[in-house]
Amino acid sequence: MKEKISNLVSKPVRYINSELNSIHKDLSKVKTKIALIFPDAYEIGMSHLGLKILYHIINQREDAAAERAYAPWLDYEEQLRKNILPLTSLETNLPLNKFDILGFTLPYELTYTNILNILNLGNIPLMSSERDERYPLIIAGGACAFNAEPIADFIDAIVLGDGEEIINEIIDVYQAWKEKSQSKKELLHLLSKIEGIYIPSFYNIEYNHDGTVSGITALNNAPEKINRRIISDLDKAPFPDKPILPYMRIVHDRVTIEISRGCTRGCRFCQAGSIYRPVRERSPETIHRIVESSLKATGYEEISLVSLSTGDYGCLSPLLSGLMDKYIDKKVSISLPSMRLGTLHSDVIKQIRRVKKTGFTLAPEAGTARLRRVINKEMSDEEFDETMREVFREGWGSIKLYFMLGLPTETDVDIQGIIDLAERAKRISKEVSGRQKNINISISTFVQKPHTAFQWMGQITLEEIKKKQYYLKRTLEKKGISVKWHRPELSFIEAVFSKGDRRLGQVLKTAWERGCRFDGWTEAFNFDKWLMAFNACAISPEFYANRERKIDEILPWDHLYTGIYKKFLEKELKFSANEKVLADCRFGDCFYCGVCDKGKIGEDKTENKGISPKVFQPSGLKISKGVEQFVKQDKLPFKVRIKYTRTGQLRFLSHLELMTAIIRAFRRTDIPIAYSEGFAAHPKLSFGPALPVGTESESEYLDAELTHKISLDKVLSALNVQFPHGMKALDAQYILFKTGSLSAAITGFSYIVTMPPDTACNISKDIISEMLQKKGIIVKRRTATGEKEVDIRPYIKEIKILSKELEVKLHMLIQNRDGRGCKPTEVIQALLHLSEDEVRSVMIKRTGLYIFKNGEWQSPMNEVVKAVTYA
């Protein structure tokens, strides 16, 4: 049934469960079944590193299994509800209500409606109070856990901080509880004893008449404050070195290595800087080991070295040099996330460009030096100019600059400063390279986050946001500078829930009931429905988003402790008003924030005990460099033609997704594939004509150029080891190197179409004959520019009935002419006048590809020659 649904939705590849390196355990042999759920689309969730780490840790245990689930897109949800089907896990299609634990990632506030939708689709009551021990335990963690009050009524337990150690403690407690067959309340009591676990139902929140919080009272012997969990040594922390390889292109489609965690730069707007302190670094040796294993297991062509401030990693330059030396022959490129100006040095830029210019995103954040002092992100004009010169001097064609609107104390001068910096970048690009390069400006609206110096501040109004966005857009585009921005309404709702309390739970539930889903997606977000939900609950969103809070006000998240003293944040707020800049405490004085044991001041009995994080510095460190170098071949390469199949779930891959899967399979082998030249080097593979999504094939072809000749048996065996399930290499032959385009040469396509009898009950030879006698058969075809009418009759060579017993089977031969042709679905629709959904339910298999040569059809393998010689 799931595959039938997949035929009816966009991007069915989101729901394929056979990705390379995914883990499929026998669930009957484990004590605890856990579904790790990312409440957004697959391509977003598969890019989330935290979920990958937990998946790796849990599945290392013999007594537990972790599977994945993501928020189904709107069309898939529609099919689930229409067919009365539950939402299931990806790996084994187990309904979510059959798991022991559901673990939600909380990446950003605009996913909250998706959490409710996932629970409902899983046939699980929304409210924690409505779920007893018969239902899965619902836990959550992530950045939003540090103010999860708006979703507190829906979640049983919330994890604060690093999850690598605490996840095993949760599983151990759950298994011990289950063996004793105790109540859910007893389970929550046991979990509350684990440091870093917050049980929302164990806390009573009271409010003043003006709507502010009057008190937070712990119940059932729960701690007054919940301390964040912190791991001190990243080298000892588990990290996945065989990441799951998706079929579709995801947001971060590369090997992602967390090289450090935490940041002490002290940007006053940055919540991540508060909730992930202190800085801990992975050693270069550990990073090399993870990279080597990950590339071998995936075939990825890019490595991303991520952290909150990658430019501050102590050994960045020698690490980059060592990685580039080792993998340059494999054409593996390296990318870095948004960089802080002042950390992007010339040696780093030079290393990155050795294989591929992966692009630069720099984040000045504010347009003037004054405002950057306010937010404690100091950058001089000279630093900006020099960084621009270095980037463009090394040949980059574009650069992205990231800014925020609505920062505290912002004036019109600061807005104009964004324009001035963009113009300076544009001018420098022309000075350095002789022509103007692409300057892309990205603008977001500032959302004040809990546990930061600006948590007491209010967001600027929607009217102000729109006015400033319009001015920037109009002015920058007139100057030929690209600008993108977030919808103001999205930032407004984010601000409401970012600083919200438990009363917003009823708004959230009402908005979900009215159809709110995927609120972070512009195409799905419906602001009017949100406003109706607030009105229905008699709650003002402006109270949460725009109101300035008093310093002595009890904040809804005060009992969720990051380790940073509240008094430190108060002091930082005053410093911001005076434009006082604090240096990075790693390299200077301690400012007594409270996180580590570098300096100690007393605030209360719940202050963090302090940890001594493991941080690597560059002094005295030696990086071993790879000795392999790319060797150019003196003679012409060899070309091998490969025949392969594509069946089962792989029929849902688009042509581009299929190409990517095959390219990465080649990269995982020892086949000596040749690469193109230049900074965007790629394996020299050429593919046959695209196969329509949803169509199987037992006869596909590709051509691969090799640097030297090897056994064809070795080619086939190597590919079949690495090809995903549903793909098999059947044959391989060397062909003439100067053979033209494979896709253009193939003009004949044979298909077998299988349909249920009720769909094609009237099919007969006479009906087929009548259609083929027509001079023209007009169908409507959707294109990028809209619908158009196409005559498909010239392309239909033959239609035959093969069977009409249990199911109807047709054989169809289609021939392209002058580079044009038709799809088998178009022929079926014209023949039987089926609806779009009925056509999608038809099973189609491509059985042959042919080249029309010397007056007859030939298999592409007929171009085989026994011996290949080169002049």
Side-chain angles (χ1 to χ4, degrees):
M1 179 58 77
K2 184 176 178 180
E3 288 200 11
K4 289 183 179 179
I5 288 178
S6 297
N7 270 325
L8 303 174
V9 300
S10 62
K11 299 185 180 179
V13 68
R14 285 171 169 153
Y15 313 105
I16 292 177
N17 65 356
S18 60
E19 312 109 307
L20 187 69
N21 301 327
S22 59
I23 298 172
H24 298 247
K25 289 189 175 182
D26 183 347
L27 298 184
S28 66
K29 296 181 179 179
V30 299
K31 290 183 178 180
T32 309
K33 302 182 292 293
I34 303 170
L36 298 174
I37 304 174
F38 194 91
D40 209 327
Y42 174 91
E43 56 267 38
I44 308 294
M46 271 297 291
S47 301
H48 191 263
L49 187 56
L51 189 142
K52 296 178 183 179
I53 292 172
L54 293 177
Y55 185 84
H56 170 71
I57 293 171
I58 296 169
N59 281 317
Q60 282 187 320
R61 296 178 61 130
E62 293 185 0
D63 61 352
E67 300 193 348
R68 296 163 294 139
Y70 304 91
W73 192 250
L74 305 175
D75 54 358
Y76 198 85
E77 177 192 346
E78 180 184 355
Q79 291 298 324
L80 288 177
R81 296 193 186 279
K82 180 180 177 181
N83 292 279
I84 318 177
L85 293 172
L87 183 62
T88 66
S89 66
L90 209 57
E91 278 77 0
T92 63
N93 295 321
L94 185 70
L96 295 186
N97 61 2
K98 301 299 182 184
F99 281 87
D100 298 301
I101 300 173
L102 302 187
F104 283 92
T105 298
L106 304 176
Y108 35 85
E109 293 82 0
L110 296 179
T111 62
Y112 288 170
T113 54
N114 284 354
I115 293 175
L116 302 194
N117 203 42
I118 289 168
L119 290 174
N120 180 258
L121 288 169
N123 295 324
I124 299 168
L126 300 185
M127 310 298 290
S128 175
S129 59
E130 297 173 353
R131 299 189 298 264
D132 57 21
E133 54 274 9
R134 293 172 299 173
Y135 292 99
L137 174 72
I138 309 300
I139 64 175
C144 290
F146 290 92
N147 182 28
E149 290 304 286
I151 58 169
D153 291 337
F154 311 107
I155 308 296
D156 297 324
I158 295 170
V159 175
L160 300 187
D162 298 333
E164 285 93 338
E165 296 171 343
I166 200 171
I167 186 60
N168 283 318
E169 295 171 24
I170 292 171
I171 295 172
D172 291 341
V173 166
Y174 182 89
Q175 290 180 352
W177 164 82
K178 192 173 183 179
E179 288 177 1
K180 295 179 181 179
S181 300
Q182 296 172 314
S183 67
K184 177 183 174 181
K185 186 174 181 180
E186 181 60 28
L187 172 61
L188 297 181
H189 178 69
L190 293 170
L191 290 171
S192 70
K193 295 180 180 180
I194 300 175
E195 186 174 37
I197 294 285
Y198 169 44
I199 309 296
S201 61
F202 284 9
Y203 293 80
N204 183 53
I205 314 298
E206 297 176 320
Y207 301 94
N208 295 310
H209 291 299
D210 63 358
T212 58
V213 176
S214 64
I216 302 172
T217 306
L219 310 172
N220 302 313
N221 295 317
E224 291 186 6
K225 288 191 176 183
I226 297 88
N227 291 322
R228 170 171 68 104
R229 287 294 289 265
I230 304 173
I231 59 170
S232 61
D233 190 345
L234 285 189
D235 273 346
K236 294 179 180 178
F239 193 89
D241 57 2
K242 291 184 179 179
I244 298 172
L245 184 67
Y247 289 117
M248 77 178 299
R249 184 161 185 81
I250 61 176
V251 173
H252 301 301
D253 202 15
R254 56 188 75 97
V255 169
T256 301
I257 310 294
E258 182 190 32
I259 63 174
S260 68
R261 189 176 299 176
C263 177
T264 48
R265 284 285 186 168
C267 298
R268 294 178 178 126
F269 59 85
C270 182
Q271 185 188 50
S274 294
I275 65 177
Y276 292 115
R277 288 188 183 195
V279 175
R280 292 142 289 166
E281 295 187 349
R282 275 195 171 86
S283 68
E285 291 80 8
T286 300
I287 295 169
H288 272 274
R289 176 182 56 77
I290 295 171
V291 167
E292 182 176 7
S293 178
S294 298
L295 289 176
K296 186 177 181 180
T298 61
Y300 268 124
E301 56 286 316
E302 185 177 339
I303 305 163
S304 181
L305 306 178
V306 301
S307 73
L308 291 178
S309 185
T310 298
D312 287 323
Y313 179 71
C315 306
L316 183 60
S317 184
L319 174 64
L320 283 173
S321 177
L323 290 172
M324 294 305 301
D325 288 347
K326 188 171 184 179
Y327 298 111
I328 191 170
D329 62 319
K330 291 287 188 180
K331 303 300 180 184
V332 175
S333 61
I334 296 179
S335 64
L336 305 178
S338 173
M339 296 285 285
R340 184 185 181 101
L341 277 99
T343 65
L344 189 60
H345 304 298
S346 59
D347 56 340
V348 172
I349 297 173
K350 284 181 170 63
Q351 289 296 334
I352 294 173
R353 74 181 294 274
R354 286 173 64 184
V355 171
K356 178 184 176 183
K357 301 188 189 79
T358 51
F360 277 117
T361 299
L362 300 173
E365 311 291 2
T368 62
R370 183 202 69 82
L371 191 53
R372 289 192 291 273
R373 289 194 297 272
V374 169
I375 63 176
N376 203 49
K377 191 164 186 179
E378 199 170 25
M379 176 201 78
S380 68
D381 291 344
E382 291 74 21
E383 281 181 310
F384 180 83
D385 291 353
E386 184 55 34
T387 301
M388 293 301 104
R389 288 192 179 92
E390 285 286 352
V391 171
F392 293 122
R393 193 179 293 132
E394 292 298 331
W396 262 263
S398 65
I399 196 165
K400 181 178 180 180
L401 300 175
Y402 179 84
F403 296 93
M404 285 189 287
L405 285 181
L407 289 164
T409 76
E410 182 181 77
T411 67
D412 290 345
V413 173
D414 302 306
I415 298 298
Q416 182 60 43
I418 295 174
I419 298 168
D420 295 341
L421 283 180
E423 284 191 296
R424 284 169 63 173
K426 176 181 172 183
R427 185 184 68 249
I428 291 171
S429 74
K430 193 168 185 179
E431 289 175 0
V432 172
S433 63
R435 63 184 182 87
Q436 180 184 319
K437 300 296 180 72
N438 295 324
I439 310 298
N440 302 303
I441 305 299
S442 179
I443 299 170
S444 67
T445 301
F446 176 51
V447 176
Q448 291 81 356
K449 294 288 186 176
H451 307 289
T452 68
F454 296 137
Q455 65 181 350
W456 293 276
M457 309 290 285
Q459 189 181 58
I460 61 174
T461 65
L462 280 172
E463 291 71 23
E464 290 178 280
I465 298 171
K466 291 176 181 177
K467 180 182 177 181
K468 292 178 179 183
Q469 283 185 345
Y470 176 75
Y471 175 73
L472 284 169
K473 179 178 183 295
R474 182 189 61 186
T475 308
L476 289 169
E477 288 183 347
K478 279 184 179 180
K479 299 176 182 295
I481 296 171
S482 171
V483 56
K484 293 183 179 179
W485 64 94
H486 296 161
R487 276 187 64 181
E489 296 84 0
L490 287 171
S491 300
F492 176 71
I493 296 297
E494 181 185 349
V496 170
F497 282 91
S498 173
K499 297 187 292 181
D501 54 43
R502 292 192 185 185
R503 291 170 297 184
L504 288 178
Q506 59 181 312
V507 178
L508 181 65
K509 186 171 181 288
T510 303
W512 167 75
E513 290 170 342
R514 291 177 181 268
C516 289
R517 313 276 195 277
F518 290 98
D519 299 299
W521 296 69
T522 302
E523 62 265 43
F525 178 71
N526 191 316
F527 189 51
D528 290 338
K529 288 182 179 179
W530 274 105
L531 293 181
M532 287 189 285
F534 281 108
N535 288 332
C537 299
I539 288 178
S540 167
E542 290 81 8
F543 175 81
Y544 296 99
N546 305 125
R547 181 176 64 90
E548 187 169 325
R549 289 145 177 82
K550 297 178 181 178
I551 289 293
D552 60 354
E553 181 177 325
I554 297 175
L555 302 175
W557 52 87
D558 275 351
H559 56 308
L560 308 177
Y561 190 50
T562 66
I564 292 181
Y565 301 136
K566 194 173 181 180
K567 290 188 180 299
F568 172 78
L569 297 178
E570 292 177 19
K571 184 170 63 175
E572 276 285 82
L573 181 62
K574 294 176 182 177
F575 285 163
S576 73
N578 297 323
E579 300 174 24
K580 182 175 180 179
V581 175
L582 298 186
D584 189 336
C585 64
R586 278 207 296 168
F587 309 111
D589 294 335
C590 174
F591 301 108
Y592 308 108
C593 72
V595 168
C596 64
D597 57 5
K598 194 173 180 181
K600 297 179 180 179
I601 59 173
E603 186 182 51
D604 55 40
K605 294 181 180 180
T606 63
E607 72 178 44
N608 198 307
K609 297 176 183 178
I611 67 168
S612 299
K614 185 176 180 181
V615 179
F616 286 89
Q617 301 296 339
S619 57
L621 183 69
K622 293 183 179 180
I623 306 294
S624 59
K625 296 185 178 182
V627 296
E628 297 179 348
Q629 298 292 330
F630 180 69
V631 180
K632 291 185 177 180
Q633 299 294 320
D634 294 330
K635 44 188 176 180
L636 288 172
F638 292 81
K639 183 181 282 189
V640 61
R641 178 160 293 169
I642 299 163
K643 180 181 180 181
Y644 63 96
T645 64
R646 168 186 163 179
T647 59
Q649 291 186 331
L650 294 192
R651 71 181 186 274
F652 296 121
L653 271 62
S654 69
H655 188 58
L656 179 59
E657 289 161 351
L658 177 72
M659 290 168 57
T660 302
I662 292 175
I663 287 170
R664 288 172 178 167
F666 266 94
R667 294 179 67 93
R668 294 192 298 272
T669 71
D670 294 326
I671 297 172
I673 191 76
Y675 285 84
S676 63
E677 300 294 329
F679 284 108
H682 57 271
K684 288 190 174 182
L685 300 175
S686 58
F687 295 83
L691 194 66
V693 174
T695 305
E696 291 188 326
S697 178
E698 58 187 36
S699 182
E700 294 298 293
Y701 296 88
L702 66 88
D703 290 345
E705 291 186 25
L706 308 183
T707 58
H708 58 270
K709 199 170 183 179
I710 64 171
S711 161
L712 292 173
D713 288 340
K714 184 178 180 180
V715 171
L716 291 174
S717 61
L719 287 176
N720 282 327
V721 168
Q722 297 299 338
F723 270 172
H725 181 70
M727 186 181 296
K728 184 177 182 180
L730 300 176
D731 194 9
Q733 297 292 343
Y734 283 106
I735 61 173
L736 291 171
F737 180 70
K738 294 185 179 181
T739 302
S741 166
L742 175 61
S743 183
I746 294 172
T747 57
F749 309 84
S750 64
Y751 299 93
I752 290 180
V753 180
T754 305
M755 299 171 283
D758 56 342
T759 301
C761 58
N762 296 323
I763 192 72
S764 68
K765 291 182 180 179
D766 291 340
I767 291 176
I768 293 172
S769 177
E770 181 182 343
M771 187 181 88
L772 295 180
Q773 287 175 10
K774 293 180 179 180
K775 291 184 179 180
I777 302 173
I778 306 300
V779 300
K780 290 184 178 180
R781 180 180 295 173
R782 287 193 186 128
T783 67
T785 56
E787 271 192 352
K788 69 175 183 179
E789 292 187 340
V790 178
D791 182 8
I792 64 172
R793 179 61 190 90
Y795 313 122
I796 304 173
K797 291 290 291 180
E798 179 182 279
I799 303 175
K800 287 183 179 180
I801 299 176
L802 299 180
S803 170
K804 286 188 65 176
E805 296 176 359
L806 296 177
E807 53 191 7
V808 177
K809 285 192 175 183
L810 303 179
H811 177 266
M812 188 184 303
L813 181 61
I814 294 174
Q815 181 181 6
N816 283 3
R817 296 176 181 272
D818 300 323
R820 297 177 180 176
C822 67
K823 299 177 182 178
T825 51
E826 292 174 330
V827 179
I828 294 299
Q829 198 160 13
L831 179 65
L832 299 173
H833 308 290
L834 302 179
S835 68
E836 194 169 308
D837 280 354
E838 286 175 324
V839 170
R840 286 180 176 177
S841 67
V842 170
M843 292 295 294
I844 302 173
K845 178 180 286 188
R846 183 187 278 174
T847 56
L849 294 175
Y850 307 99
I851 296 172
F852 193 71
K853 190 173 182 181
N854 300 326
E856 62 180 3
W857 294 105
Q858 297 182 3
S859 160
M861 287 299 192
N862 283 350
E863 293 189 18
V864 172
V865 292
K866 295 298 181 183
V868 181
T869 58
Y870 298 97

